[in-house]
């Protein structure tokens, strides 16, 4: 227990140190900007929680951005007449609908998930664009923005993370998703149906997709339909959150918390560079270097420690 | 004999994989309160037959009855529910899950309340099961990825113990277990037997089969050969039934002379790796240098270090000219070949055809500038597959479809075709039947006669004693003893240096 608390402190140290560095380097970056940074990390964290469900089952899905946008569009449309209730219902309806479509296609067509996800992107981006009409974007009423306001957005993500924790660590389906990601053949030998488990993983991802859609449309107050696979760019930050989370798992086996730490760290870097006036290209380069440095340092430190241990022996 | 005295009867079992007929009308009868040994060469159909009984795969035809009633299951869960449980030869645990989750996988309902798993109760129950089995030192909370292969096998035993099977099938599991692990398995088998259940036991160790089994059913090339009772057991008879011809009792080297040339072809100079501590030794031309020790003695690191497959922290492994070897590419340039203990992961590409597996090390030789001549490649692969007598449909058959012995022949063919001068063989006869074993020993003798050098790492002391010119025993990463080939050398002597 003590060890776990110490590990949480150590892991939270990464975003804290990063934040501290940018407070020193960037003008306008300080404690007052913390709620903004935290708020901005909520959408990638929520999407990361969803992506983790499928990545844990050894699937790769690039369509989460398209699905989130489609759900947000449905939510936005229903909000026109239904207000907040319509917005929430629409996001959940859209998120589930697309996720179930993807799960069904995956299960019955037996095509790799990545291929299906590319098809889903193309179809649902166009569908979303048709729905919003010729203007290409959709607004929601300002009184609906509160859902993504600080600290309610943090509460929503915390609730989703708690749900993800229970799902992954305290339910049978969570155990099976991990098992399928480990070895499908072995799963069959212990009576687990891998195809059904993957179907469930993709469907469950819909919950996080819906919540991400809700945060997304409420955060910006409007949504612009994406075309030509532009929604794919939304997936890369959440994927990095999951990769960082997986890397940190050896210190603490609690993926939802680790995904949040990953999401927060990445957002701090992006915002820090914006505050320093760097271009988007430079931001991307630095983020890539950060990811490689974190993962690479582990290998270097591992080799250093084994050499040190051998020398001691 | 009346069939009603049998708790499990399988008759006329057939199964084909493509054009390969794995089972051709095989029968098996298991009595209550007995251990029935199922024995045969690699590819004889033992695992196929038992996996059908365990619900892992369906039979093409045949009839199975359990306690007089028709038995038909769609999957292993149904088989478990009917009291049949199988411990597989391959790894069957999930790395990312805890020990407890691995024990109860597929049977979590007992620990579920309102859809939520009671992990704490799971850990407690797992601890209880492990303790009852006599397994020490495995924390149910640990992830399997942090435990050894043997611990994983013990977790599989605990999984089976939890299911309380009437019939337990043990498929070639003992090779993965230490003496202590084996004792746990044997105790579990004995308990099932005492409770009126039955055990189907598969092993390539004839001595072990003779000791533990009450009857033996012999299969050969997918055919039922015979079933013999304990009083009829004799090594010679079993071998003859298995192979279909007489096999000499001693299939190791006939000579007792330590013979090799003076020239040193590989030199370990104070080599330190993760598991080795300042090991220095020499391998000579035409020598078979055997290594023995406990599983964690560091002997497997000797093989990997010889091939440059693990980092050397201090010291060096050098070839005859004194040049250090630091990676597998350099090793191959120096004509060193390596066959790892875990052949599916270290020596073969199971999801590729035999063609690619044999040719892969020799593309330089087969290629004309950047292009590989298909005709030349086919002839090359065909030649080496035939020389090693690989039992296959054709060279385009996938390696994963081959039996353990034939997979090993493919791995050997790859390096023989490559033209290696030094062969590093880590447990080359692990999980392999006596027929293939004998042929591997003959091949080693031929290689020695040609002046090739061999490093033989083995967990079977009779093999090390029977084949090596010199034997090095490792203990805790250091050399604890070195012996020359001698008629007087016994396992007992070596064990004293191992523990």
């Amino acid at each position: 227990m003590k060890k776990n608390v110490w590990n949480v402190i150590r892991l939270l140290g990464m975003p804290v140190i990063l934040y501290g560095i940018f407070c020193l380097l960037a003008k306008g970056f300080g404690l007052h900007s913390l709620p903004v940074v935290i708020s901005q990390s909520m959408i990638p964290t929520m999407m990361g929680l969803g992506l983790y469900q499928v990545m844990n089952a050894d699937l790769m899905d690039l369509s989460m951005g398209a699905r989130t946008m489609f759900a947000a569009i449905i939510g936005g449309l229903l909000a026109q007449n239904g207000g907040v209730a319509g917005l929430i219902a629409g996001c959940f309806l859209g998120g589930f609908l697309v996720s179930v479509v993807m799960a069904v296609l995956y299960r019955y067509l037996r095509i790799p998930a990545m291929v299906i996800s590319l098809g889903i992107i193309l179809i649902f981006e166009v569908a979303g664009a048709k729905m919003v009409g010729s203007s290409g974007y959709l607004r929601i009423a300002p009184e609906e923005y509160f859902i993504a306001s600080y600290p309610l957005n943090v509460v929503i993500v915390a609730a989703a993370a708690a749900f993800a924790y229970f799902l992954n660590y305290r339910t049978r389906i969570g155990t099976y998703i991990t098992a399928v990601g480990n070895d499908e053949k072995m799963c069959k030998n212990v009576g687990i149906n891998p195809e059904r488990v993957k179907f469930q993983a993709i469907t469950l991802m819909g919950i996080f997709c819906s919540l991400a859609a809700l945060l997304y449309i409420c955060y910006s107050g409007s949504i612009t339909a994406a075309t030509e696979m532009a929604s794919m760019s939304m997936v890369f930050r959440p994927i990095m959150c999951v990769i960082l989370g997986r890397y940190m798992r050896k210190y603490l086996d609690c993926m939802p918390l680790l995904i949040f730490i990953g999401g927060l760290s990445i957002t701090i870097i992006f915002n820090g560079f914006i505050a320093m006036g760097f271009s988007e290209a430079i931001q991307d380069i630095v983020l890539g270097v950060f990811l490689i440095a974190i993962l690479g340092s582990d290998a270097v430190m591992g080799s250093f420690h084994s050499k040190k241990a051998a020398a001691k022996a | 004999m009346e069939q009603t005295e049998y708790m499990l009867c399988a008759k006329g079992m057939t199964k084909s994989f493509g054009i390969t007929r794995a089972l051709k009308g095989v029968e098996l009868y298991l009595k209550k309160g007995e251990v029935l040994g199922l024995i045969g060469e690699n590819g004889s159909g033992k695992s196929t037959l038992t996996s059908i009984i365990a619900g892992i795969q369906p039979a093409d035809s045949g009839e199975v009855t359990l306690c007089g009633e028709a038995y038909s299951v769609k999957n292993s869960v149904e088989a478990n529910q009917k009291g049949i449980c199988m411990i597989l030869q391959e790894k069957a645990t999930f790395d990312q899950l805890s020990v407890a989750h691995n024990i109860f996988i597929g049977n979590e309902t007992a620990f579920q309340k309102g859809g939520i798993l009671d992990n704490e109760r799971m850990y407690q129950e797992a601890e209880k099961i492990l303790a009852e089995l006599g397994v020490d030192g495995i924390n149910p909370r640990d992830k399997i990825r942090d435990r050894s292969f043997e611990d994983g096998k013990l977790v599989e035993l605990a999984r089976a113990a939890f299911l309380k099977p009437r019939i337990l099938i043990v498929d070639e599991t003992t090779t993965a277990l230490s003496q202590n692990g084996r004792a746990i398995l044997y105790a579990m088998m004995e308990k099932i037997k005492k409770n009126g259940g039955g055990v189907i036991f598969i092993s390539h160790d004839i001595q072990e089969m003779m000791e533990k089994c009450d009857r033996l059913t012999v299969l050969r090339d997918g055919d039922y050969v015979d079933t013999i009772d304990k009083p009829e057991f004799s090594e010679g008879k079993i071998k003859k039934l298995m192979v279909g011809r007489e096999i000499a009792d001693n299939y190791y080297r006939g000579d007792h002379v330590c013979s090799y040339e003076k020239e040193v072809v590989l030199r370990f100079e104070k080599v330190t790796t993760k598991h080795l501590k300042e090991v220095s030794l020499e391998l000579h031309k035409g020598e078979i240098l055997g290594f023995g020790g406990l599983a964690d003695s560091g002997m497997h690191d000797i093989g990997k270090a010889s091939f440059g497959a693990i980092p050397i922290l201090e010291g060096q492994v050098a070839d005859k000219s004194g040049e250090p070897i630091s990676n597998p590419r350099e090793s191959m340039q120096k004509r060193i070949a390596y066959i790892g203990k875990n052949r599916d992961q270290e020596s073969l590409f199971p999801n590729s055809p035999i063609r690619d597996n044999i040719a892969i090390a020799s593309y330089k030789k087969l290629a004309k500038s950047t292009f590989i001549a298909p005709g030349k490649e086919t002839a090359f692969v065909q030649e080496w597959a035939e020389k090693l007598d690989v039992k296959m449909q054709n060279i385009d058959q996938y390696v994963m479809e081959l039996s353990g012995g034939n997979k090993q022949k493919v791995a050997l063919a790859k390096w023989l075709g490559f033209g290696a001068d030094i062969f590093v063989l880590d447990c080359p006869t692990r999980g392999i039947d006596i027929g293939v074993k004998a042929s591997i020993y003959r091949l080693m003798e031929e290689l020695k006669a040609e002046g090739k050098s061999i490093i033989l790492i083995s967990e079977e002391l009779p093999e090390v004693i029977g084949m090596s010119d010199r034997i090095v025993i490792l203990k805790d990463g250091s050399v604890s003893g070195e012996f020359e080939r001698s008629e007087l050398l016994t396992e007992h002597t070596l064990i004293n240096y191992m523990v």
Side-chain angles (χ1 to χ4, degrees):
Chain A
M1 188 68 186
K2 242 183 184 177
K3 195 182 161 196
N4 279 349
V5 173
W6 171 235
N7 279 337
V8 172
I9 295 167
R10 271 173 69 184
L11 291 167
L12 283 170
M14 180 166 74
V16 170
I17 291 168
L18 282 170
Y19 204 80
I21 293 170
F22 282 110
C23 280
L24 294 173
L25 295 177
K27 271 184 192 171
F29 215 75
L31 272 181
H32 64 279
S33 54
L34 191 59
V36 177
V37 174
I38 291 177
S39 290
Q40 284 190 0
S41 69
M42 291 298 108
I43 294 167
T45 301
M46 185 67 87
M47 290 177 77
L49 292 171
L51 269 177
Y52 176 63
Q53 307 311 317
V54 290
M55 286 171 79
N56 201 23
D58 204 20
L59 297 172
M60 196 50 179
D61 178 7
L62 298 171
S63 70
M64 193 163 185
R67 288 200 261 164
T68 301
M69 292 186 90
F70 183 79
I73 288 169
I74 300 275
L77 285 171
L78 292 190
Q80 307 300 316
N81 297 316
V84 174
L87 177 70
I88 295 171
C91 285
F92 273 92
L93 183 73
F96 265 115
L97 179 76
V98 195
S99 297
V100 169
V101 167
M102 173 149 178
V104 169
L105 289 175
Y106 177 73
R107 179 149 191 195
Y108 296 104
L109 296 183
R110 295 177 185 275
I111 302 170
M114 200 194 283
V115 177
I116 291 182
S117 72
L118 291 175
I120 290 278
I121 294 172
L122 291 168
I123 294 165
F124 284 92
E125 275 190 354
V126 173
K130 291 279 173 204
M131 281 178 178
V132 297
S134 54
S135 65
Y137 74 95
L138 193 68
R139 276 187 191 286
I140 57 167
E143 56 270 26
E144 286 152 5
Y145 295 176
F146 76 97
I147 294 175
S149 65
Y150 181 84
L152 182 59
N153 55 359
V154 178
V155 174
I156 293 171
V157 172
F163 172 71
Y165 178 81
F166 272 93
L167 183 69
N168 293 132
Y169 293 90
R170 300 295 295 274
T171 65
R172 188 156 65 163
I173 179 65
T175 307
Y176 287 1
I177 289 172
T178 307
V180 167
N182 248 217
D183 194 320
E184 275 190 46
K185 194 184 158 205
M186 237 150 58
C187 282
K188 285 180 188 160
N189 290 344
V190 292
I192 299 170
N193 181 342
E195 298 310 317
R196 195 167 62 189
V197 172
K198 286 181 180 178
F199 177 89
Q200 289 167 330
I202 298 170
T203 310
L204 282 167
M205 190 185 177
I207 297 171
F208 301 98
C209 218
S210 307
L211 288 167
L214 197 57
L215 293 176
Y216 185 76
I217 193 165
C218 292
Y219 187 74
S220 52
S222 66
I223 183 158
T224 306
T227 51
E228 295 174 348
M229 300 185 111
S231 62
M232 242 166 80
S233 63
M234 278 176 78
V235 189
F236 296 120
R237 277 202 218 184
I239 287 178
M240 286 168 86
C241 296
V242 178
I243 292 172
L244 276 172
R246 280 182 163 175
Y247 157 76
M248 293 184 283
R249 190 158 55 180
K250 59 189 162 195
Y251 304 110
L252 182 79
D253 193 10
C254 180
M255 276 304 287
L257 177 65
L258 301 177
I259 289 169
F260 164 69
I261 293 172
L264 185 59
S265 305
I266 290 166
T267 309
I268 290 169
I269 294 173
F270 266 104
N271 283 321
F273 280 111
I274 290 169
M276 288 170 75
F278 285 124
S279 69
E280 208 174 309
I282 297 287
Q283 289 170 39
D284 286 346
I285 290 168
V286 174
L287 193 66
V289 170
F290 168 73
L291 190 71
I292 292 165
I294 287 283
L295 302 182
S297 66
D298 183 49
V300 174
M301 288 307 282
S303 149
F304 171 73
H305 284 307
S306 57
K307 274 189 181 173
K308 209 172 147 187
K312 251 189 184 177
Chain B
M1 209 179 273
E2 282 297 310
Q3 288 188 8
T4 45
E5 71 175 281
Y6 297 110
M7 66 187 301
L8 182 84
C9 304
K11 285 182 280 186
M13 305 302 291
T14 66
K15 177 78 186 173
S16 298
F17 299 102
I19 58 162
T20 308
R21 292 181 68 199
L23 295 177
K24 306 167 195 165
V26 164
E27 56 190 73
L28 176 144
Y29 300 99
L30 175 70
K31 286 182 193 172
K32 282 180 181 170
E34 79 163 354
V35 176
L36 173 71
L38 192 55
I39 198 162
E41 288 189 275
N42 288 118
S44 60
K46 307 179 296 288
S47 297
T48 307
L49 176 62
T50 46
S51 63
I52 288 169
I53 294 169
I56 292 167
Q57 57 181 330
D60 292 343
S61 65
E63 187 191 327
V64 184
T65 56
L66 178 66
C67 299
E69 285 178 22
Y71 169 86
S72 165
V73 287
K74 288 192 194 87
N75 54 49
S76 54
V77 173
E78 281 187 21
N80 292 343
Q81 284 161 354
K82 293 192 175 185
I84 297 181
C85 200
M86 182 167 179
I87 297 166
L88 296 160
Q89 186 176 3
E90 304 91 20
K91 186 181 174 208
T93 45
F94 301 93
D95 281 347
Q96 298 295 342
L97 295 181
S98 72
V99 166
H101 284 88
N102 267 283
I103 292 174
F104 303 117
I105 188 116
N107 299 285
E108 296 89 348
T109 322
F111 303 96
Q112 232 177 352
K113 209 174 179 185
I116 304 291
L117 286 178
D118 186 347
N119 286 343
E120 214 36 60
R121 203 153 66 79
M122 233 183 201
Y123 296 141
Q124 285 167 8
E125 191 63 26
E127 210 163 77
K128 215 167 101 186
I129 292 170
L130 290 167
E132 275 171 16
L133 272 179
V135 179
D136 293 328
I138 299 182
N139 185 341
R141 287 172 175 78
D142 284 355
K143 291 272 191 286
I144 286 288
R145 62 163 187 253
D146 300 325
R147 310 294 320 184
S148 67
F149 185 74
E150 179 179 9
D151 286 349
K153 278 285 156 202
L154 292 173
V155 168
E156 287 174 44
L157 289 186
R159 187 190 294 160
F162 169 71
L163 295 169
K164 295 191 170 58
R166 280 190 289 174
I167 296 173
L168 177 68
I169 302 167
V170 182
D171 186 3
E172 192 59 45
T173 303
T174 42
T175 47
L177 298 174
S178 64
Q179 289 303 326
N180 187 38
R182 285 180 192 205
I184 291 166
L185 172 65
Y186 297 149
M188 188 173 163
M189 286 162 57
E190 198 56 39
K191 193 176 168 188
I192 291 170
K193 193 177 151 178
K194 238 182 207 170
N195 292 341
V199 177
I200 300 172
F201 188 51
I202 300 173
S203 170
H204 283 304
D205 185 338
I206 294 175
Q207 285 300 332
E208 183 186 34
M209 294 293 266
M210 286 168 62
E211 201 180 307
K212 298 294 165 197
C213 302
D214 300 300
R215 292 188 307 136
L216 279 179
T217 290
V218 186
L219 303 184
R220 192 195 311 142
D221 295 332
D223 280 316
Y224 170 82
V225 178
D226 200 1
T227 297
I228 51 174
D229 291 324
K230 197 153 192 133
E232 300 168 62
F233 286 1
S234 83
E235 205 167 321
K237 182 173 182 173
I238 296 167
K239 283 178 185 171
K240 191 180 172 189
L241 286 171
M242 281 172 68
V243 185
R245 61 180 192 276
E246 296 281 358
I247 291 244
D249 271 352
N250 187 356
Y251 40 67
Y252 300 124
R253 276 167 67 180
D255 65 284
H256 293 284
V257 184
C258 169
S259 59
Y260 49 81
E261 292 175 33
K262 271 187 181 169
E263 186 188 347
V264 174
V265 290
L266 199 71
R267 184 175 276 122
F268 272 59
E269 294 166 2
K270 292 192 171 182
V271 172
T272 298
T273 65
K274 196 176 172 191
H275 298 110
L276 293 176
K277 293 173 199 160
E278 295 193 352
V279 171
S280 296
L281 48 94
E282 289 173 343
L283 172 71
H284 299 85
K285 192 176 176 189
E287 179 183 29
I288 301 179
L289 179 59
F291 285 88
L294 298 178
D296 55 355
S297 64
M299 64 176 174
H300 301 297
D301 269 23
I302 291 278
K304 290 187 173 90
S306 306
F307 195 60
I310 49 169
I312 291 170
L313 304 174
E314 273 173 32
Q316 67 168 17
V317 179
D319 70 349
K320 55 186 172 189
S321 62
E323 270 185 58
I325 294 161
S326 49
N327 58 54
R329 195 172 53 86
E330 280 176 16
S331 303
M332 286 176 67
Q333 282 164 357
K334 297 174 196 313
R335 320 305 292 173
I336 300 173
Y338 170 65
I339 294 182
K341 180 184 173 185
N342 198 345
R343 60 179 159 259
D344 280 0
Q345 265 95 52
E346 293 175 311
S347 303
L348 294 166
F349 302 103
N351 295 324
S352 295
I354 294 165
R355 172 196 295 276
D356 294 353
N357 273 277
I358 293 181
I360 192 141
S362 306
Y363 281 138
K364 249 187 190 171
K365 172 154 88 173
L366 297 170
K368 208 173 180 185
S369 66
T370 47
F371 297 101
I372 297 157
K376 211 173 162 186
E377 184 196 43
T378 303
F380 173 83
V381 173
Q382 199 74 46
E383 179 192 342
W384 286 103
E386 279 170 14
K387 271 186 186 168
L388 270 288
D389 194 23
V390 179
K391 280 185 195 167
M392 58 183 183
Q393 291 164 18
N394 53 53
I395 56 170
D396 290 316
Q397 189 180 0
Y398 282 86
V399 164
M400 65 181 168
E401 294 168 3
L402 301 179
S403 65
N406 283 299
K407 280 180 184 172
Q408 193 69 312
K409 285 181 178 178
V410 170
L412 282 164
K414 170 179 74 180
W415 291 120
L416 289 167
F418 169 72
D421 291 327
I422 298 172
F423 289 81
V424 182
L425 309 176
D426 192 350
C427 300
T429 61
R430 180 170 173 257
I432 283 174
D433 66 70
I434 48 162
V436 180
K437 251 184 186 181
S439 64
I440 288 177
Y441 296 144
R442 295 294 74 78
L443 180 69
M444 285 168 71
E445 282 193 79
E446 282 168 30
L447 291 170
K448 176 180 160 62
E450 286 169 23
K452 313 274 188 194
S453 308
I454 298 170
I455 286 180
L456 169 67
I457 300 157
S458 178
E459 287 164 359
E460 291 181 37
L461 287 179
E463 180 172 272
V464 181
I465 296 170
M467 294 306 298
S468 312
D469 291 299
R470 278 189 306 139
I471 297 165
V472 175
I473 300 295
L474 292 171
K475 186 183 168 187
D476 299 331
S478 302
V479 175
S480 60
E482 196 175 321
F483 306 87
E484 287 212 337
R485 185 172 186 79
S486 157
E487 205 172 349
L488 303 172
L489 195 59
T490 64
E491 281 184 63
H492 185 73
T493 314
L494 300 186
I495 287 168
N496 284 336
Y497 286 83
M498 284 165 58
V499 291

